[in-house]
Each structure stands twice: as C-alpha cells, then as structure tokens.
C-alpha cells in the first residue's frame, strides 16, 4: 500500500521542476503548463464518483492494480514530447490516480480497523515522500538525460508498485470466493434508514475543508520552485530541491496528527492547529521571504497533517465501510474539483499582478476556508458511533473486494 501511495502524488509535481524546459520545447504558455498540473486534480473531482463505482464492481484490490497500471501508461505517454501527448498522458494519470485516491482510504478502513490513525499517517507520509523525491530529483535528472526521460524514469517506481501489489493480490484475493470479491456489502435491512452522504452537513463541511487544503497544496506545489527562484535568485535545480522541503516535512505532520488526535481527542482542534501552521507559508513569504526555509518547513508539516486529519475524519464520521467509500468519493471529488483551479489560478494571478503578493493572499484565503469548515465538521471528542469509525461488517463479509 505504501509503494502505491508513493506514486499518487509524484507524477503531479514532476512538471514543476522542468516548467521552463516544457515551455521551450513544447512552445506552450505558462497557463498551459498550469493546465498540465490542473488536469489531474480536475479528474480527481469529476471522476471520483466513477472511481467509486469501479471499486464496487472490480473489488478493492483489483481497483488498486487498475490505478497503478493507468499511472504507468500515462507517465510514459506524457513523456513522448508533444503537446497532445503531454495532455493525453496527463488525463490518463489523473483518472488513474483518482481511483487510487478513493480506494486506499477504503483499504485502510477495512484491512486496518484497529490501527486506522497510524496507517493513515503512514499512507499520507508516503504520498508526500513520493512528491518530495520527484520534486528533488526531476530537475537533476533532466539536466543529465533531458526532461522527457526524466519524467519517464518515474515509471520505474510505478512498475515496482505494480509488481509488489500483484503478488499481494494473489495471496490475499485467491482464497476468497467470487461473491466475497464482488464489491459492496449487502444493503441494510429495509427498516434501517439510510441517509445519502450528500444530505449530511458533515459531508459538505469536510468537502469544503478538503477543498481548502487541496487548493493550497496544489497551488503552492506547482509554483513554489518558480517563486523561490524569483524571490531568492536560486537556480532551477536549487529551487526544486529547496521546495522539496515542503514535501519532506509533511512526513512530520502526517505522524504528529494521529498522536495529537489521541492526546486531545478532538480532530477539529487538531485541524485548527494545522491551519495556523499552513498560514505561515503565505504570511511568512510576504513578510520575510529570506526565511523561506522556515516557512516551507512549517507549511510542509501543515499540509501533511491537514490531509491526514481529514482522512481520519472521513473514517471516523463514516458509519460503515460502504459509507466510508461514498463519503471518501464525495469529499475528495468536490474538494479536488475546486483544487484543480489552484495551479491555474495562482499562475493567472501571478501573470496579472506581475508579482507573488496576490497569489500568496489567494492561498491564505483558501487556508481560512479550511479552518472554518474543518473545525465545524471534523468532529469533537469521540463519543458516538459516527465519530469513532465504520461499524464492523458481518462475519464472512470483511474480506469482500
């Protein structure tokens, strides 16, 4: 699962360190490059319901394999060196990662019910480690072998995940029957009322909070290397490595959040603390850009902690595994639909204003939305079934696909 997670963010940030090479060789504008970053995130939003249906039909483990094969295919197509191939490969990557985004929280809720917080932390840490590796190494690779080969090289990591997951799939799924691998658990008895997730206020609150988190993350990740190069005079490679701190420090936030949730017992309070750290990036770069390392480090902790606490909230506020999948699809679908505008909007505001002050204020506004919506929806001290996680499924159903 962690190998899979390494490949769910890296392909998205791979473009940022080689932006200028793409613009030169493909003869495209900054807006088009921003679109290459936005397309996958837009897929996350628009295709999340379809991903949920695919998971229900194919089963959890096979859906993960479909996701990784798609990421590998898209990575290779995107590196062919033409604008049409870049766009087509990016779409494939976006659709494939959408499946992974929705299915892995379901894997966590189903296969690790007694260690949800810790496994969620490991999962989100792996997301950011993958992004950090890509941010730090893509530019040096491009200097050696060119940007096309540098982007294609990350397919090796995807291939490793496919090989390991295939081996795990054979061991875990082979003993199950076809019926047990079919998808959703049976529907509840007719006399049990079922409220669609979109009618739950908490679902909309978590969606808004996730939108603020994801918009800030993708907007910052797409343009942070360029911002640091402009504001500090760094070289392209140095700026790419420096901005990787934003990704690396997310590991600290990912593992600190479960400890804080266990200590404070209130995910909403933890989320509020996370947003305070998030705000240090735009405010710090406006007030004291020379301390960029401090602001990138604090915001890195925040972005790793932010997505972790939101995933924990999704699991805690779901009443069973089916609602876990549907709530995950809604929150990520709506949130990523908004986040898709992040790189494009940040780039457009930068072009219009001629500087980085206005774009940083836009990020600060998104963090504020996350703070307000998240603290209202993430949940207080666990005391009800809807706050402590999905209900155990009936005997014989826990191994369903």
């Amino acid at each position: 699962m962690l190998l899979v997670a390494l490949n769910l963010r890296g392909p998205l940030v791979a473009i940022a360190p080689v932006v200028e090479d793409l613009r030169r060789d493909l003869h495209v504008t900054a807006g088009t490059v921003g679109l290459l970053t936005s397309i996958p995130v837009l897929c996350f939003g628009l295709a999340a319901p379809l991903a949920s249906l695919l998971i229900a039909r194919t089963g959890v483990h096979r859906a993960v394999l479909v996701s990784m094969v798609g990421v590998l295919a898209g990575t290779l197509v995107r590196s062919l060196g033409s604008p049409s191939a870049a766009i087509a490969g990016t779409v494939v990557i976006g659709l494939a990662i959408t499946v992974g985004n929705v299915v892995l929280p379901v894997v966590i809720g189903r296969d690790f019910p007694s260690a949800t917080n810790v496994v969620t932390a490991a999962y989100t840490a792996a997301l950011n480690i993958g992004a950090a590796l890509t941010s730090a190494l893509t530019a040096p690779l491009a200097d050696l072998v060119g940007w096309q080969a540098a982007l294609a090289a990350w397919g090796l990591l995807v291939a490793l995940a496919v090989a390991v997951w295939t081996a795990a799939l054979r061991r875990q799924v082979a003993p199950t029957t076809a019926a047990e691998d079919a998808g959703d658990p049976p529907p509840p008895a007719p006399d049990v009322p079922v409220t669609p997730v979109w009618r739950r206020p908490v679902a909309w609150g978590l969606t808004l909070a996730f939108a603020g988190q994801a918009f800030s993350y993708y907007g910052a990740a797409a343009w942070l290397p360029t911002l640091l190069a402009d504001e500090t005079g760094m070289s392209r490679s140095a700026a790419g490595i420096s901005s990787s701190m934003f990704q690396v420090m997310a590991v600290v936030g990912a593992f600190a959040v479960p400890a804080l949730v266990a200590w404070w017992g209130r995910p909403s309070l933890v989320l509020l603390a996370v947003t305070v750290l998030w705000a240090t990036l735009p405010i710090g770069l406006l007030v004291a850009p020379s301390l960029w390392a401090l602001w990138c480090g604090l915001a890195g902790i925040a972005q790793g902690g932010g997505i972790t606490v939101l995933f924990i909230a999704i699991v805690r506020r779901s009443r069973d595994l089916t609602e876990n999948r549907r709530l995950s699809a809604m929150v990520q679908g709506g949130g990523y639909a908004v986040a898709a505008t992040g790189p494009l909007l940040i780039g457009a505001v930068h072009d219009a204003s001629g500087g980085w002050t206005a774009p940083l204020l836009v990020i600060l506004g998104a963090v504020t939305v996350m703070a307000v919506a998240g603290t209202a929806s993430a949940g207080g001290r666990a005391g009800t079934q809807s706050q402590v996680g999905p209900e155990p499924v009936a005997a014989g159903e826990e191994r369903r696909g």
Side-chain angles (χ1 to χ4, degrees):
M1 187 186 71
L2 297 181
L3 279 173
V4 170
L6 287 176
N7 294 286
L8 294 183
R9 292 298 177 271
L12 307 183
V13 301
I15 295 295
V18 292
V19 162
E20 295 306 319
D21 289 343
L22 264 73
R23 293 183 64 178
R24 182 188 66 245
D25 294 349
L26 301 184
H27 307 290
V28 294
T29 64
T32 302
V33 173
L35 187 62
L36 291 177
T37 306
S38 299
I39 285 174
V41 190
L42 185 60
C43 290
F44 296 171
L46 298 181
L50 297 178
S52 179
L53 293 175
L54 174 69
I55 295 163
R57 178 173 293 273
T58 65
V60 170
H61 290 96
R62 290 191 180 95
V64 174
L65 188 59
V66 169
S67 171
M68 286 296 95
V69 171
V71 172
L72 179 58
T75 297
L76 297 178
V77 171
R78 186 176 64 176
S79 64
L80 293 179
S82 70
S84 59
I87 293 174
T90 299
V91 171
V92 173
I93 289 172
L95 294 173
I97 293 181
T98 302
V99 177
N101 286 342
V102 177
V103 73
L104 284 188
V106 179
V107 173
I108 293 171
R110 190 195 67 175
D111 291 352
F112 306 96
S114 62
T116 297
N117 289 2
V118 175
V119 178
T120 300
Y123 161 60
T124 55
L127 292 178
N128 286 282
I129 290 172
L133 288 173
T134 308
S135 294
L137 299 180
T138 298
L141 277 175
D143 290 338
L144 292 174
V145 298
W147 67 268
Q148 292 174 248
L151 293 181
W154 294 110
L156 296 175
L157 186 59
V158 186
L160 175 61
V162 169
V164 173
W165 190 270
T166 300
L169 179 68
R170 289 172 179 168
R171 288 198 305 271
Q172 187 146 354
V173 175
T176 66
T177 65
E180 288 174 333
D181 195 47
D184 282 339
D191 59 340
V192 177
V194 178
T195 303
V197 291
W198 60 268
R199 290 186 177 179
R200 297 184 63 194
V202 66
W204 290 102
L206 289 176
T207 300
L208 281 175
F210 198 95
Q213 158 76 19
F215 181 98
S216 302
Y217 170 76
Y218 287 106
W223 292 105
L224 196 53
T226 305
L227 186 154
L228 292 177
D230 289 349
E231 296 296 312
T232 66
M234 292 180 181
S235 67
R236 180 188 66 177
S237 295
I241 294 173
S242 300
S243 66
S244 68
M245 180 184 300
F246 178 63
Q247 310 290 350
V248 172
M249 292 304 292
V251 177
V252 177
F255 283 103
V257 158
L260 289 176
V261 171
W263 183 24
W264 292 349
R266 298 179 183 274
S268 59
L269 194 58
V270 175
L271 191 143
L272 183 60
V274 163
T275 58
V276 171
L277 288 182
W278 239 126
T280 62
L281 181 69
I283 294 174
L285 290 177
L286 286 172
V287 175
S290 61
L291 299 178
W292 60 266
L294 175 61
W295 313 134
C296 288
L298 292 176
I301 294 172
Q303 61 99 348
I307 193 169
T308 302
V309 72
L310 286 169
F311 279 139
I312 288 174
I314 289 172
V315 174
R316 283 193 171 209
R317 304 308 295 268
S318 299
R319 291 170 289 201
D320 53 45
L321 292 174
T322 299
E323 185 169 271
N324 183 355
R325 171 173 60 82
R326 291 170 179 166
L327 182 60
S328 177
M330 175 179 170
V331 170
Q332 294 191 62
Y336 282 129
V338 175
T341 65
L344 191 60
L345 182 59
I346 296 299
V349 171
H350 170 60
D351 288 345
S353 65
W356 290 106
T357 298
L360 289 172
L361 291 176
V362 171
I363 292 176
L364 182 59
V367 172
T368 302
V369 171
M370 176 186 173
V372 174
T375 52
S377 307
R381 188 172 300 277
T384 64
Q385 181 63 35
S386 64
Q387 291 177 321
V388 298
E391 296 177 354
V393 295
E397 294 173 5
E398 66 278 11
R399 304 310 308 164
R400 285 182 172 272

